[in-house]
């Protein structure tokens, strides 16, 4: 999946999550209990959880692997629900405490976006703060668009529907955008079933930090390549602070620039072949 396609996918899935969240909030209403705070926390958690769930599925869609996407979606839903549970009461509290200007509500939705963005760092190869920054910007912008939609539409239900879709879209797009803009190292699949897919490696670059397993199993590998000729765990990427080493642990071999390797230092623009898939290693200095 190309970067442009990833932005589109994250944005579309976030918008779908916002639309479903709107339907759920309409069914329950904002005051379905006598405790308004509890109602806001619950509705916020449901909205955030649904939007986070769909954005999380974006990775599985890109990787063409349901289990891989499910693992990411569940964590994204959990953090999205936490963010929504915090965001809606804060948004309403700030809104009421300073006299009700519409611009105050996006503060709460920025917090929702921050926590949803952090889940991208937990489940992907990006550093936590990069996903969080993208989510923060997307949440603030989406919250502003949400309030603008409420003012623009004469029908409050339509305004809320459009606004929540825009909120989900903005959070999804900016998570993907900021993560890729600030990424330092990544793998681009240039041949095979997953041609065009890119995997961020920043989280694994630190010396002494976690290594990244490359393979075909979503349960055993951090970077999942859908290729039957790739082992469940085929190779290991280890960060050395300023560069990566690549170690083959398969029976069929890992090839770097056409040569079979056991362990080798990676350099920018080198080509890696496993099974029927080929990747290019990219880095920014």
């Amino acid at each position: 999946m190309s970067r442009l396609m990833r932005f589109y996918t994250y944005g579309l899935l976030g918008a779908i999550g916002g639309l479903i969240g709107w339907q759920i909030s309409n069914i329950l209403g904002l005051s379905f209990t006598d405790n308004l705070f509890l109602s806001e926390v619950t509705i916020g958690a449901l909205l955030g959880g649904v939007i986070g769930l769909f954005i999380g599925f974006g990775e599985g869609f890109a990787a063409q692997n349901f289990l891989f996407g499910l693992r990411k979606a569940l964590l994204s839903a959990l953090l999205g629900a936490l963010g929504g549970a915090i965001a809606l009461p804060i948004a309403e509290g700030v809104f009421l405490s300073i006299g009700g200007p519409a611009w105050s509500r996006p503060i709460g939705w920025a917090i929702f976006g921050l926590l949803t963005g952090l889940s991208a760092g937990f489940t992907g190869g990006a550093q936590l703060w990069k996903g969080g920054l993208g989510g923060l910007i997307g949440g603030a912008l989406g919250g502003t668009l949400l309030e603008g939609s409420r003012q623009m539409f004469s029908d409050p239900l339509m305004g809320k529907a459009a606004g929540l879709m825009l909120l989900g879209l903005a959070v999804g797009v900016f998570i993907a955008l900021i993560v890729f803009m600030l990424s330092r190292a990544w793998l681009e699949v240039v041949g095979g079933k997953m041609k065009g897919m890119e995997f961020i490696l920043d989280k694994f670059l630190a010396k002494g930090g976690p290594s990244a397993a490359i393979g075909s199993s979503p349960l055993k590998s951090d970077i999942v390549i859908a290729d039957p000729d790739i082992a469940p765990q085929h190779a290991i990427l280890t960060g050395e602070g300023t560069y990566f080493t690549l170690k083959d642990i398969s029976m069929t071999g890992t090839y770097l620039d056409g040569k079979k390797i056991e362990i080798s230092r990676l350099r920018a623009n080198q080509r890696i072949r496993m099974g029927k898939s080929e990747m290019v290693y990219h880095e920014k200095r």
Side-chain angles (χ1 to χ4, degrees):
M1 178 183 289
S2 67
R3 294 191 181 194
L4 183 61
M5 189 63 182
R6 184 181 291 267
F7 302 153
Y8 170 79
T9 301
Y10 271 56
L12 177 62
L13 290 174
I16 292 172
L19 183 61
I20 294 174
W22 166 70
Q23 288 282 23
I24 293 173
S25 67
N26 285 341
I27 292 171
L28 293 178
L30 188 58
S31 302
F32 61 93
T33 71
D34 294 333
N35 188 320
L36 181 59
F37 176 76
L38 179 60
S39 296
E40 290 175 348
V41 167
T42 304
I43 291 296
L46 288 170
L47 288 172
V50 171
I51 292 174
L53 179 74
F54 275 82
I55 290 175
F57 263 123
E59 281 296 313
F61 182 82
Q64 303 175 38
N65 191 300
F66 176 77
L67 288 178
F68 185 67
L70 182 62
R71 185 178 67 179
K72 291 178 176 291
L74 290 176
L75 180 55
S76 183
L78 179 63
L79 290 177
L82 177 61
I86 296 172
L88 188 56
I90 288 179
E92 293 301 317
V94 173
F95 178 77
L96 294 174
S97 67
I98 59 179
W103 57 261
S104 60
R105 282 192 171 121
I107 296 173
W109 290 115
I111 295 173
F112 155 71
L114 170 66
L115 291 178
T116 304
L118 288 176
S119 70
F122 274 115
T123 59
Q127 291 167 306
L128 289 180
W129 70 269
K130 294 175 183 177
L133 177 61
L136 181 71
I137 295 171
L141 176 60
T144 302
L145 294 173
L146 171 58
E147 295 309 313
S149 296
R150 283 174 167 169
Q151 303 296 323
M152 185 181 301
F153 287 82
S154 56
D155 183 347
L157 284 178
M158 291 302 298
K160 183 179 177 183
L164 285 173
M165 288 177 66
L166 289 170
L167 172 65
L169 184 148
V171 171
V173 167
F174 273 89
I175 288 173
L177 179 64
I178 298 299
V179 163
F180 272 105
M181 281 180 59
L182 300 180
S183 59
R184 292 179 58 194
W186 66 98
L187 287 176
E188 177 190 4
V189 183
V190 296
K193 184 179 177 181
M194 295 179 62
K195 183 177 179 179
M197 182 68 179
E198 292 177 296
F199 297 94
I200 304 296
L201 305 175
D202 293 14
K203 186 170 73 175
F204 307 106
L205 184 57
K207 187 175 179 62
S211 297
I214 305 174
S216 59
S217 170
L219 300 178
K220 296 181 178 181
S221 296
D222 304 285
I223 298 169
V224 181
I225 309 293
D227 183 336
D229 293 320
I230 292 179
Q233 277 192 334
H234 198 100
I236 299 292
L237 272 174
T238 302
E240 302 293 345
T242 57
Y243 64 92
F244 282 101
T245 58
L246 179 66
K247 180 181 180 180
D248 176 55
I249 56 172
S250 72
M251 299 294 291
T252 55
T254 297
Y255 296 82
L256 189 62
D257 287 339
K259 297 179 180 179
K260 190 174 182 179
I261 63 162
E262 292 186 3
I263 186 168
S264 180
R265 174 176 173 169
L266 281 181
R267 292 176 172 80
N269 301 317
Q270 286 188 304
R271 301 176 80 88
I272 303 165
R273 182 166 60 83
M274 301 175 189
K276 292 184 174 68
S277 300
E278 189 168 12
M279 293 159 275
V280 174
Y281 170 70
H282 299 279
E283 63 181 35
K284 285 191 287 190
R285 294 292 183 182

